Each structure stands twice: as C-alpha cells, then as structure tokens.
Amino acid sequence: MNSRSIPFDSEEIAAAIADVEETPVWASLPVPALLLDPEDSIISINPAAEGFLNTSARSIRGQKVWERVMIDSPLEEAFARARATSSPLFVNDVDVGTGERAPLHCNLQISPLNDREGFMLFLISPRELAGRMTQDHSVKSAAKSAIGMAEMLAHEIKNPLAGITGAAQLLSMNLSKEDMELTDLIVAESRRIVKLLEQVEQFGNLTMPDLKPVNLHDVLDRARRSALLGFGANMKIIEDYDPSLPQAMGDPDQLLQVVLNLLKNAAQAAGKEGGVIRLHTYFEHSFRLRRADGKGKSLPLQIEIEDDGPGLPEDIAGDIFDPFVSGRENGTGLGLALVSKIISDHEGWISVTSVPGKTVFRISLPRAPKEVIEKENE
C-alpha cells in the first residue's frame, strides 16, 4: 500500500479536489462518488454521495472511508493493490451501509485518479433499485391476476356463508351443550372465512389515492398513538425524525393504513414479550426510481420502520410483497401485498432488509411540488 503521508491541507490535495469538483460531470453523476487521498481519507464527495451518506461534503472531509462506508466484504487489501498498481477495481453484489440505516445491495467501481498518485475515485452504484424498478407494474399485474377471480368468488361465497351461519345459530337454540360446541365452531369458522374474503375484496379495490401535500410525521404520529393503544401496547416505539423533512405527495389515510400494517406486523413478530420499533425519517435527494417506461422519478422522502424481532423467513423474504405470501401461521398473505400496492399507486417504492434482530421496511415517496403546496394553502 502507498503509505506516503500528505498533509491534509497540502497543495496536492487541493489540486486533486479541484480536478474533480471543477468538472461538471462530478456534480451531475447520478451515483454516489467519493474522492480519497493516499491515506484513505475522504476529501470530496458529490451531491449524490451527500444524500447516500446523509451528510455534507464539508462535515465528512478528512474522515476515513472505511469508517463511513460499511461493506459486508473485506476490501482493504484489494483496494491497496489497486492503488499500488494504479489499476481499477470492480466489486459486485455487496451490501453497503452507513451505520445509520439498512444497507443497500450495490456494485462498487474504484479507480485511480489520473496523474494524481495515490488518489482514488470510489463510486457506489445501488442495485436494489434496479432489482425492483418494475415493482409497481408487477404488483398491479399480480393484483389483477391473483385477486380478480378471488374477488368475484368472495362476493359469491359470502352469501351462502351468511345462510350457513344463520342456520347454525338457529340449530344451537335447541341443542345440548355438547352439540352447541359444534354449531359454535361452524359459526366461528364461517366468520373467519368472511373476514378473509373481506380482505380479498379490500385488496381488489383499485381506488386510486387522493394525492395532496401531507406531513409524514403527522401520519407516523397517528399510527404510533393508535398502535400503542391497541396491538402495540407491549412495544416501545422510538421516534427518530428529520424535523426539516418536506411534505410528501400522498393520501394521508392510505399512508396511515400502510404504516399501521407495518407496525402491526412488527408487533405480531415480537410476540407477547414485546420489543422495540424505530420510526426514522430522512431526506435523500439523490434517490430516483426508473420506471418501466424509462422515465426517472425522484423519491427523496424516506421512512424506515425498523424492529428488533426475529426477522423474515429466508424462503419468503424475496417474495414478501406478493399476494398470498405470509410468514405467519394462518396469515392471509395480503397485508404486505396491499401495502406494496398502495405505495406503488403513490408512485413510490418500498423495500425490506431483514436479519434476525433487525428488520427494516423502507418507504420512498415523492416530494409535494411547491406550487401544489401554495395552492393548497390559499
């Protein structure tokens, strides 16, 4: 490894910074980019990296890259060889985090800076977006194909179930206590089926959201208070909000439904012993989602719902947002599919990372345009 020491305020570092920052491409790069000195200290980052690391270029300058960019693979030796031989280094399929939020699946491109010995460019390309960039299309297609017939059958089945329930209740009026247990079972199971069918009908309701400027912290606070008074009474819910977060473009009632569903899942996973849920919001201006039509959509507003439960089963983690996929016994598998559908209808994006002891659902939403907010406030 090149270990020559360069004073941080040296002319050589200033020249290297000028080489990249005075290039228009540096600020325009859509992926996080870092410039490192020969001692692996960060001396400059582009705007996309500011969003990815949730910090400013000024505050991060001088910090060691391996203390701010956490990678689930040992790269120091390969990085040192790339520097010593002035050759590029490409690393695919690694999880990259910042210590403040769940890691993202990324590709890394590392290259020496031309004519600047020991200085390296470090590019981080998140792959998680690419892997789910057609999520809105696939979720809606899955909804139509998997729910279409089920919704029709739900309507037809509920009528005879009502008759069965009524008949069982009438029979129970003239039965012995032992026989009444059987009619009670018929009534209970019929009601359980009706509840399931109502969930199917709810998921099949393709009503579009009523989009308007919404304060996400108001939505989170309503969900938190409701959870603590009901299903989440045994949970500790921590608020970790960015107070400067702008308004989102969304339907407050549907977003409340999303957050309540995620909180309920976390509480059910924790069980009677309870656990901790963290509600975290932040702004990431570089976060964009490419749609199936090739157009990009800026989704800078981030909500993370993190719990310390057992995590998602590995065999369903990749399909958790699909209809009828559930990690709970007797689960319908429609709750998270409905959550995904709502976020998709908001032109947003939802993902999950999960290991035992830490599951994080991340929701990314568009910002409300300034002119819409002004019109709303007139």
Side-chain angles (χ1 to χ4, degrees), residues 297-375:
K297 179 74 174 180
S298 178
L299 304 175
L301 307 184
Q302 313 299 320
I303 300 173
E304 288 184 346
I305 299 176
E306 175 186 325
D307 69 71
D308 60 353
L312 298 173
E314 290 185 10
D315 57 331
I316 65 167
D319 305 314
I320 197 66
F321 295 110
D322 292 342
F324 306 118
V325 175
S326 175
R328 295 199 314 273
E329 185 177 356
N330 296 324
T332 64
L334 292 177
L336 288 178
L338 180 60
V339 163
S340 186
K341 175 190 173 296
I342 291 174
I343 297 301
S344 175
D345 287 344
H346 279 71
E347 296 189 331
W349 177 73
I350 184 169
S351 67
V352 61
T353 58
S354 182
V355 295
K358 184 176 181 179
T359 296
V360 182
F361 283 89
R362 180 183 183 186
I363 300 169
S364 305
L365 293 169
R367 180 177 181 173
K370 184 179 179 180
E371 58 273 16
V372 176
I373 297 176
E374 292 175 348
K375 185 177 181 181

Side-chain angles (χ1 to χ4, degrees), residues 278-291:
R278 175 173 171 257
L279 301 177
H280 178 43
T281 64
Y282 58 97
F283 189 87
E284 188 171 338
H285 63 79
S286 63
F287 198 99
R288 298 185 64 85
L289 179 65
R290 187 178 298 278
R291 297 294 180 188

